[in-house]
Amino acid sequence: MSIPKTAESPSLSGDPGRAIDRLRATYRSGATRTLSWRRTQLARLRHLVTAGESRLTAALSTDLGKPAHEGWLTELAFVTSEIDHAMRHLARWMRDERVRVPLVLQPDRARVRREPLGVVLVVAPWNYPVQLSLAPLVGALAAGNCVVVKPSEFAPATSGALAALAAEHLDEGAVTVLEGGPEVVGAALEAGVDHVFFTGSETTGRLVLQAAARSLTPVTLELGGKNPAIVVADAELGVAARRIAWGRFLNAGQTCVSTDYVLVERAVEERFLAALRTAIGEFYGSDPRSSPDYGRIVNDRHFARLADLLATHGGEVVLGGTTDRATRFIAPTVVRDPSWDSPLMAEETFGPILAVVGVEDLEDALARVTARPDPVALYVFSASRRTVRAVLERTRSGGVAVNGTVRQIAVAELPFGGIGRSGMGVYHGRAGFERLSQPRAVLVSPRRFDLGVVYPPYRPAKTRLLRLAQRWTKPAR
């Protein structure tokens, strides 16, 4: 797989080929098809998260400077909630779905079975290295698959903790955690997997898709994008500012569904910016560098990229802008009216920099949003149902939140995923179970009764009878 290895990529740990052979043997035994096997694996995964809480939150702090509360809330609790939801509903999800049979084929019976795909490879990113390693694993296990999890090499402490905890708590015939860089993904694809679930950047996603295409391996891609928030004049500006600031600066802005830029009506722009300053001050104090609730940039490469965005935006820094390379600290920063041609507005920021752009009205905002690639998330703040309806009907995105940000991903039964360049395929809750299952069509015909009208020779009477039957099965107008 031709994904370039970086200087920060550790060498491959473990043998993907041997691990996949072991997992495939479990799958072929038929054990994974039972409800009891799936429940057992999910229960073990839950125990891993709860028993390993202190090790995982410490690792998250090492890799990302993530506060323990934030690590628990956005990563560990998220995963246990997904597990609990799957455990409650799994028996119902696994039931065959009966479907209607056309009159001409009756008394045949038809149903759809959802069966495991086989061995699934989960490739996780560094920004939420626990959540995005284990949440796809929940869906894969619920669907009866065996799984290779490849945590991000850019969050080495968390990757090591996950590998150690998996060895302690999980069935090695069901789940294997392999550490390393892109070479692990390449070796797993060479060995043969049945589905790749990748979360990460658009650039790397393209390479994964190209590599998987060579073996016709299906892929789910969760890629992110530049997510807009539209704030109209009738919004509750204080609430909007708090919710946008929380979502933007959570995990030091390294969240794929956070707001990259705000389009605010000029009539309320000054008031919105004042509310934003107030909210950021309430969250992180006058010196965010000393706040125990504010994270750090993951590594020097990403710090340098963000520093370049701050140097080339062409707008006005109205809050923050302070950086410290030694500690990889970038203050919560608000940039007003950056150039639309600047890198800050052209690429996913993935850091604690929020662009705020004044627009004339909703039409102006919608024109700017629709001129760009479809994002994974879109936010609108308004008291008007008509405004919300206009945004929903005239834009495309993976998901939408009205008068809020980020929290839509915590609703287990809301499918999560991108569209276009922001990703393909959805998961969470039942959507994850279905994404990682095969809908297998089953038609059962009676053993003795045979409808001779469908067999040659094709007499006119048979044709008239079949045409009549077809008319009876058409939907009513």
Side-chain angles (χ1 to χ4, degrees):
M1 177 177 171
S2 57
I3 298 178
K5 184 177 177 180
T6 72
E8 298 178 69
S9 298
S11 62
L12 182 150
S13 171
D15 182 346
R18 186 176 301 173
I20 288 170
D21 286 344
R22 183 173 61 244
L23 298 174
R24 195 166 297 285
T26 302
Y27 168 71
R28 286 175 175 165
S29 74
T32 75
R33 295 174 179 269
T34 67
L35 176 62
S36 62
W37 185 91
R38 303 181 195 195
R39 284 184 176 276
T40 297
Q41 307 314 316
L42 290 171
R44 287 181 174 179
L45 180 59
R46 195 184 199 288
H47 184 63
L48 178 156
V49 175
T50 55
E53 178 178 339
S54 60
R55 291 163 70 179
L56 291 170
T57 54
L60 291 167
S61 177
T62 299
D63 288 329
L64 291 153
K66 191 170 290 194
H69 173 81
E70 185 178 299
W72 170 82
L73 178 66
T74 63
E75 305 225 34
L76 279 63
F78 185 98
V79 172
T80 55
S81 294
E82 282 276 311
I83 294 170
D84 293 344
H85 182 81
M87 294 278 271
R88 280 194 301 271
H89 298 285
L90 186 54
R92 177 167 57 85
W93 294 348
M94 289 177 63
R95 289 184 199 136
D96 288 1
E97 177 188 352
R98 294 193 178 279
V99 297
R100 295 184 64 181
V101 175
L103 181 63
V104 71
L105 294 180
Q106 291 179 11
D108 290 8
R109 289 171 295 137
R111 66 183 189 273
V112 177
R113 292 171 55 88
R114 286 188 165 78
E115 298 189 344
L117 299 175
V119 178
V120 173
L121 170 63
V122 173
V123 184
W126 52 262
N127 61 323
Y128 287 87
V130 174
Q131 182 203 129
L132 297 176
S133 293
L134 302 187
L137 177 57
V138 174
L141 290 174
N145 299 292
C146 297
V147 190
V148 177
V149 178
K150 209 292 286 184
S152 174
E153 68 274 24
F154 296 120
T158 308
S159 178
L162 285 171
L165 287 165
E168 294 172 18
H169 296 285
L170 302 183
D171 178 356
E172 67 173 7
V175 180
T176 294
V177 175
L178 292 177
E179 295 188 88
E183 65 277 8
V184 177
V185 182
L189 285 170
E190 288 281 335
V193 295
D194 300 291
H195 194 96
V196 179
F197 194 109
F198 172 83
T199 306
S201 70
E202 179 184 336
T203 299
T204 307
R206 289 177 186 272
L207 296 172
V208 170
L209 188 60
Q210 290 168 7
R214 288 195 284 272
S215 56
L216 295 180
T217 303
V219 174
T220 297
L221 298 178
E222 303 296 349
L223 305 178
K226 287 201 73 68
N227 306 313
I230 299 172
V231 179
V232 299
D234 66 357
E236 291 286 343
L237 296 180
V239 172
R242 282 195 301 274
R243 294 176 181 175
I244 289 171
W246 173 76
R248 171 73 280 186
F249 301 114
L250 183 73
N251 197 30
Q254 299 164 121
T255 303
C256 71
V257 293
S258 66
T259 304
D260 264 44
Y261 63 102
V262 181
L263 301 172
V264 56
E265 286 194 274
R266 293 196 189 280
V268 295
E269 183 178 3
E270 293 295 342
R271 289 166 53 200
F272 173 75
L273 286 169
L276 205 53
R277 291 188 193 95
T278 299
I280 294 169
E282 289 174 352
F283 292 166
Y284 306 114
S286 58
D287 180 16
R289 189 196 313 260
S290 61
S291 170
D293 302 316
Y294 187 68
R296 296 296 183 267
I297 306 307
V298 66
N299 58 37
D300 292 339
R301 182 165 65 89
H302 284 280
F303 179 93
R305 180 184 62 82
L306 291 165
D308 286 344
L309 295 184
L310 280 174
T312 59
H313 55 72
E316 176 191 5
V317 174
V318 295
L319 182 68
T322 305
T323 67
D324 181 9
R325 184 177 296 274
T327 60
R328 299 198 298 270
F329 167 81
I330 297 179
T333 298
V334 178
V335 177
R336 185 176 189 176
D337 288 328
S339 168
W340 282 94
D341 297 327
S342 67
L344 178 63
M345 296 304 291
E347 62 186 60
E348 184 177 10
T349 308
F350 227 66
I353 306 168
L354 177 65
V356 177
V357 178
V359 293
E360 297 305 319
D361 51 24
L362 179 62
E363 288 297 318
D364 187 6
L366 290 174
R368 293 173 186 259
V369 170
T370 55
R372 293 172 159 262
D374 301 320
V376 70
L378 186 152
Y379 304 112
V380 54
F381 290 84
S382 175
S384 166
R385 291 184 179 179
R386 179 177 296 178
T387 296
V388 172
R389 185 166 60 249
V391 172
L392 290 173
E393 291 177 352
R394 295 173 58 186
T395 62
R396 298 200 321 167
S397 64
V400 175
V402 179
N403 295 319
T405 65
V406 177
R407 293 183 293 186
Q408 73 274 13
I409 68 170
V411 181
E413 282 303 295
L414 279 178
F416 172 78
I419 181 173
R421 286 169 53 179
S422 62
M424 61 176 71
V426 295
Y427 74 118
H428 289 180
R430 180 158 191 162
F433 168 84
E434 293 184 348
R435 179 67 179 176
L436 297 171
S437 300
Q438 180 212 353
R440 190 177 187 186
V442 179
L443 183 71
V444 179
S445 301
R447 289 180 299 162
R448 295 199 175 117
F449 179 79
D450 214 8
L451 193 63
V453 71
V454 300
Y455 299 138
Y458 299 122
R459 307 297 188 193
K462 290 183 179 181
T463 301
R464 287 194 299 272
L465 184 58
L466 289 173
R467 287 182 179 273
L468 184 61
Q470 185 189 36
R471 284 202 296 272
W472 284 346
T473 58
K474 283 185 179 179
R477 293 186 177 181

